[in-house]
């Protein structure tokens, strides 16, 4: 029995009075949504045994009473679907057979064909106007579908529906006037008993109304219209014209069909009669199951969805795979059949899918992206006001529940989505996309109008979650034992975890939240965590106090490094809000600085001692001529430099002092190494009878020192002196960094140079011994031996020894050996000349006037052989008396003395208490020009401070080369004599190899007199004091806390807004031979 969908309980009328179903969409023609109580929290996806039994029965009923041809990719065999359901519902075989038997005994449902006549196109125009007034008659013919036959193969009938289907089972659409492309969109429910012998019939007719000839002539448009008038004149009045029909066997249809069907003609006159768009759905009515009778179809389908999807997810989890949202063919077939037979619209199916998936997503682990499809479907089909209040509350509750659940996952995203799992970023991004799409839905906006914006909710969840994560980490790192060291280790572990988390936020999580919600997670997390960390670090350093043990110092240093790394992650100023709690965290670690510096030096010293002790003084290779200890020492220095870079103290004043200490320690280690490596060489060579082996060790020692000098020379780059100079430029006086750090470095390099020269000199002395032996042999050679033959052994000895030295010494040291041999062979007067050549070179290279300067005018008259010297003035002399001044005068001598033996020294007048004396005195020396032009000839200006009771103090020396004097250089115009300003310098006798050679020549009186005079000059000098402003009290560094050689004394009190002047006395001796 066919029943219109709009009147399910009424008896159908006759054909002419048939109640047609008004134009409406299929999705609006369905069972009403269940009226359920609002649920704030999603229920469990598990059902009670009674609910599951009812649901299982209804699902078996669906499979057993399947209609239509299977869809592509759907399961065809019912047995396979039954086995799947047994497994999905966890039913035992016996129970399954009993349920199956009960279902088979139930009454069959009423089978119905839900047919929707959508529209037609290209139909024939039967009216005079060239159009038609089409309508359709449709119904089901039963008992004529013989197996293998086709309704289309039977003889065409003019009016199939009128002649073959009872009038009460025939339905009629509306008439659409004057068109060739009518649109109906009307739906009808057609009942049938047996699908195998039932056929669907549709006839399309043109409604013919009674009109006068005059009216028809008024509608005439062409000759075809006139022909239609004559044709209609021959037929009965009011008889409708046949336009075509569609005949289909029900057993050939799928559960759902949506196609264009050609309209079949009555005759072959017009074979192409257009097409008709039809939609079919094979549905059930009056199902016999208890679930169908007691619950709305929508609710039953929702429960079935939950049961099957939970089974699908569980199956994937058992196989250690993640469900991707794709249903198995069995599940897809069962759900499709159930929704189709229940006549659920697309909207109801999407709603059920949303509610089922959103609930299961909160209890089972499967991708959130599976929720995007139902969200899109609901949004596309949503119409305001189509749901009852109870239904709206159910949907609103699902929105609120999923939102709360999603925010809880976001709050704990660090543990829910760990980066150790490769797909965690994609899973989090999928969750955020679902929440974003859900909150954009029209349904969400109407049902949850008071919900705060999603970015605000997510930001609050992230902020709360960050704080909770911090406290969980703090509990995780809680020490098992009480104590400051254990607390420090726990705090260090906490800070390192925070640094690692911020790296993850910066590299991964921030991009995800920003791309999805325009939320910058990293600045938010950094702001929260840095305040929490700052409070705990400050409390810890306060508890440690000023007394820092070595173990505690090591712990604090690691904590300081981790905090520096944390601060280096800070966001840019545009992303950062407020003040950083860690802005000046370095001040909390000031008491630990002495411990850090001492630990760095102690570790390096122990490593140097161990490296020397293990060194066998053997070259590392043919090209590498130093030994293993030199490599280890380079590594030690690199570690010190690395520690300095790690420390990178922010305060420029304190950073300068720390750098001074690092340089001091490095230089001290260098000189300690020299002492140790020499002792090691003596230890290894003490039992050696082979002098060649001992010489080889000495070569390695010299090469190690040369390698050390190269490493020391890289300190300015390794410790970033240029950057430090820029930082302290506003704090230190100009040139103070040069006078301290560079002075330390140059002194250490001078000490190393002295050690290298000593080693080279030792090698030269050994060579001299061999040369002396060969010379002694030459004395006893007989006169009959030719000189060439007599000297041949000496030449061979020199060739062998020099080749050996060239092979075992680096090039710099071999060149130094050659120079040392040349000096050894030189006469005393030649050495004195070379000494003054070196002082003249030093004078030319001296730019600083730290010790003061003298101004002179010198000229030479060749005709008179007279040297004229005008001593004009001196300036910026050092105060050498206790009254803060000096009594300066100047001695003038021509050097070397052996070139000018007849010329006595001259002196100026003494000026009392004057640091800028104006002498304005003239001296003349009668001397030929030849000695004046020799290399090394110079005018020595010695500035002294006159002392009445003791020896005069040396202010400094200046050397004017005579070859550059006006008149000796080619010009003799007296009016053009220029002034010459010469900076004062200090003598350094102990480090000069020439003075050492001269001192060793005990039998040479002239050499001894010269050395004694230079030593006397050196004793008259004093050490310079270098001062710079610096605050020591904030660091707690008292005298000696930076090392035995670094003494700091406050010369001025602390004035408001000013820094005290500090004076640093350099600890090394003259020439750098001790430290």
């Amino acid at each position: 029995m066919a029943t219109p969908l709009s009147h399910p309980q009424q008896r159908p009328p006759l054909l002419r009075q048939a109640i047609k179903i008004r134009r409406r969409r299929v999705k609006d023609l369905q069972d009403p949504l269940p009226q359920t109580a609002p649920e704030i929290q999603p229920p469990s996806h598990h059902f009670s045994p009674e609910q599951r039994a009812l649901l299982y029965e209804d699902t078996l009923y669906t499979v057993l009473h399947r209609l239509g041809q299977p869809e592509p990719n759907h399961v065809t065999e019912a047995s396979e679907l039954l086995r799947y359901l047994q497994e999905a519902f966890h039913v035992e075989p016996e129970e399954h057979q009993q349920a199956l038997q009960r279902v088979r005994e139930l009454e069959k449902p009423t089978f119905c064909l839900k047919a929707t006549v959508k529209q037609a196109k290209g139909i024939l125009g039967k009216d005079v106007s060239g159009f038609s007034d089409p309508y359709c008659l449709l119904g089901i013919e039963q008992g004529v579908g013989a197996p293998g036959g086709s309704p289309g193969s039977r003889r065409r009938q003019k009016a199939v529906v009128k002649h073959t289907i009872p009038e009460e089972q025939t339905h009629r659409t509306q008439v659409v006037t004057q068109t060739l492309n009518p649109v109906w969109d009307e739906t009808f429910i057609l009942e049938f008993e047996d699908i195998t012998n039932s056929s669907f019939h549709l006839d399309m007719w043109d409604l013919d109304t009674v009109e006068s000839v005059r009216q028809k002539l008024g509608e005439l448009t062409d000759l075809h219209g006139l022909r239609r008038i004559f044709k209609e004149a021959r037929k009965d009045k009011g008889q409708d014209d046949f336009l075509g029909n569609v005949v289909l066997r029900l057993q050939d249809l799928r559960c759902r069909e949506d196609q264009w069907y050609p309209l079949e003609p009555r005759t072959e006159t017009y074979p192409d009669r257009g097409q008709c768009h039809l939609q079919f759905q094979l549905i059930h009515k009056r199902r016999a199951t208890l679930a169908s009778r007691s619950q709305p179809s929508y609710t039953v389908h929702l429960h079935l969805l939950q049961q099957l999807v939970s089974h699908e997810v569980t199956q994937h989890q058992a196989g250690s795979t993640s469900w991707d949202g794709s249903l198995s063919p069995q599940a897809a077939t069962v759900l499709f059949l159930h929704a189709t037979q229940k006549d659920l619209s697309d909207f109801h199916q999407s709603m059920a899918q949303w509610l089922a998936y959103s609930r299961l997503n909160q209890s089972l682990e499967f991708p959130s992206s599976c929720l995007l499809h139902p969200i899109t479907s609901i949004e596309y089909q949503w119409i305001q006001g189509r749901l009852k209040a109870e239904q709206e509350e159910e949907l609103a509750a699902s929105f609120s529940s999923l939102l709360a659940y999603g925010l809880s996952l976001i709050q704990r995203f660090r543990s829910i989505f760990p980066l150790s799992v490769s797909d965690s970023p994609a899973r989090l991004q999928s969750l955020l996309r679902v929440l974003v799409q859900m909150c954009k839905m029209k349904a969400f906006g109407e049902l949850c109008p008071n919900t705060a914006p999603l970015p605000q909710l997510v930001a609050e969840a992230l902020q709360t979650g960050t704080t909770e994560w911090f406290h969980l980490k703090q509990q995780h790192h809680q020490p098992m034992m009480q104590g400051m060291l254990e607390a420090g280790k726990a705090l260090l572990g906490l800070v390192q975890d925070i640094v690692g988390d911020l790296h993850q936020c910066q590299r991964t999580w921030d991009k995800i939240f920003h791309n999805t919600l325009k939320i910058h997670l990293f600045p938010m997390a950094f702001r929260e965590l840095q305040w929490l960390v700052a409070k705990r670090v400050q409390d810890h350093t306060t508890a440690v106090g000023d007394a820092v043990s070595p173990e505690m110092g090591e712990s604090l240093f690691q904590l300081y490094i981790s905090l520096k790394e944390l601060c280096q992650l800070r966001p840019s100023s545009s992303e950062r809000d407020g003040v950083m709690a860690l802005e000046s965290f370095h001040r909390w670690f000031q008491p630990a600085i002495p411990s850090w510096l001492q630990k760095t030096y102690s570790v390096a010293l122990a490593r140097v001692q161990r490296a020397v002790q293990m060194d066998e003084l053997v070259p590392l290779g043919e090209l590498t001529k130093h030994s293993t200890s030199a490599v280890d020492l380079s590594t030690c220095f690199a570690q010190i430099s690395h520690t300095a870079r790690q420390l990178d103290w922010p305060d420029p004043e304190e950073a300068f002092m720390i750098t001074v200490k690092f340089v001091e320690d490095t230089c001290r280690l260098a000189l300690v190494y020299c002492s140790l490596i020499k002792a090691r060489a003596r230890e290894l060579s003490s039992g050696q009878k082979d002098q060649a082996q001992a010489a080889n060790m000495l070569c390695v020692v010299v090469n190690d020192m040369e390698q050390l000098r190269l490493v020391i020379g890289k300190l300015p780059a390794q410790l970033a002196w240029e950057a430090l100079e820029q930082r302290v430029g506003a704090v230190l006086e100009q040139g103070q960094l040069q006078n301290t750090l560079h002075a330390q470095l140059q002194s250490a390099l001078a000490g190393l140079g002295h050690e290298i020269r000593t080693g080279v000199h030792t090698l030269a002395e050994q060579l001299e011994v061999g040369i002396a032996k060969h010379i002694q042999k030459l004395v006893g050679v007989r006169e009959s031996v030719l000189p060439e033959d007599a000297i041949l052994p000496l030449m061979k000895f020199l060739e062998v020894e020099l080749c050996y030295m060239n092979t075992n010494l680096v090039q710099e040291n071999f060149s130094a050996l050659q120079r040392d041999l040349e000096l050894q062979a030189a006469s005393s007067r030649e050495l004195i000349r070379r000494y003054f050549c070196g002082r003249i070179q030093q004078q030319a290279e001296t730019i600083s006037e730290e010790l003061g300067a003298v101004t002179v005018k010198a000229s030479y008259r060749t005709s008179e052989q007279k040297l004229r010297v005008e001593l004009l003035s001196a300036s910026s002399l050092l105060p050498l008396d206790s009254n803060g001044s000096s009594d300066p005068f100047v001695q003038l001598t021509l050097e070397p003395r052996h070139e000018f033996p007849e010329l006595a020294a001259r002196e100026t007048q003494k000026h009392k208490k004057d640091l800028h004396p104006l002498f304005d005195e003239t001296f003349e020396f009668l001397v030929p020009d030849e000695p004046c032009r020799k290399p090394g000839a110079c005018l020595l200006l010695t500035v002294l401070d006159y002392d009445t009771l003791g020896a005069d103090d040396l202010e400094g020396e200046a050397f004017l080369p005579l070859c550059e004097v006006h008149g000796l250089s080619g010009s003799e115009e007296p009016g053009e004599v220029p002034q010459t300003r010469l900076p004062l310098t200090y003598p350094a006798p102990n480090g000069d190899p020439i003075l050492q050679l001269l001192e060793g020549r005990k039998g040479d009186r002239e050499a001894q007199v010269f050395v004694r005079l230079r030593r006397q000059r050196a004793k008259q000098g004093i050490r310079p004091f270098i001062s710079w402003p610096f605050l020591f009290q904030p660091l707690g560094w008292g005298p000696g806390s930076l090392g035995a050689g670094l003494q700091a004394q406050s010369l001025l009190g602390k004035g408001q807004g000013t820094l005290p002047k500090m004076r640093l006395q350099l600890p090394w001796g003259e020439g750098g031979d001790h430290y």
Side-chain angles (χ1 to χ4, degrees), residues 99 211 245 260 266 289 525 555 571 616 659 700 766 786 846 862 888 925 931 1050 1063:
E211 295 180 345
N245 67 358
W260 285 88
R266 180 184 57 177
T289 62
S555 175
E616 296 297 328
T659 305
V700 173
Q766 294 179 358
L786 296 176
T846 302
T862 307
F925 299 88
S1050 178
R1063 179 169 292 177

Side-chain angles (χ1 to χ4, degrees), residues 442-557:
K442 291 179 289 187
F444 183 88
E446 295 169 10
L447 301 180
C448 305
N450 298 324
T451 304
L454 182 61
Q456 176 183 341
L457 296 175
V458 172
E460 293 173 356
L462 291 173
Q463 186 171 355
T464 304
T466 299
T467 304
E468 292 179 355
W469 175 83
F470 175 84
H471 291 297
L472 287 175
K473 283 295 180 181
Q474 188 178 18
Q475 294 177 2
H476 174 74
H477 288 286
Q478 196 70 23
M480 300 296 295
M481 301 177 60
Q482 298 298 325
M484 294 306 300
L485 279 176
E486 288 73 16
K489 293 178 181 178
L491 185 56
L492 174 62
L494 176 62
V495 174
Q496 290 174 343
D497 283 350
I498 290 173
V499 171
D501 177 73
L502 288 176
H503 276 295
Q504 293 181 358
C505 290
Q506 188 178 42
R507 297 169 183 169
T508 304
W509 303 125
D510 189 80
K511 297 177 183 178
I512 294 177
F513 284 99
H514 182 261
N515 293 339
T516 309
L517 292 166
K518 304 302 179 185
I519 293 176
H520 280 296
L521 168 65
F522 174 68
M524 180 191 310
F526 183 87
R527 182 174 60 251
E528 290 297 318
L529 293 174
Q530 61 108 14
W531 280 103
L532 296 170
V533 169
K535 177 66 170 59
R536 283 146 186 84
V537 173
Q538 192 170 13
D539 292 344
H540 178 69
T541 53
T542 302
V544 171
D546 295 339
V548 180
S549 64
E551 295 79 9
M552 181 57 67
E554 177 65 21
S555 175
L556 289 178
F557 184 76

Side-chain angles (χ1 to χ4, degrees), residues 884-895:
S885 185
S886 290
D887 305 324
F889 69 98
V890 181
Q891 284 186 355
L892 296 84
T893 57
L894 295 180
E895 301 289 351

Side-chain angles (χ1 to χ4, degrees), residues 227-239:
R227 188 181 304 162
R228 293 189 190 98
I229 292 177
F230 293 143
K231 184 177 180 180
E232 290 180 1
R234 293 196 300 268
K235 70 178 183 179
D236 297 336
K237 293 183 178 179
Q239 183 179 359

Side-chain angles (χ1 to χ4, degrees), residues 201-214:
H201 290 257
L202 179 142
D203 291 347
M204 189 177 296
W205 296 86
D206 170 43
L207 181 66
D208 192 9
T209 58
V210 179
E211 295 180 345
S212 64
V213 176
R214 179 175 297 179

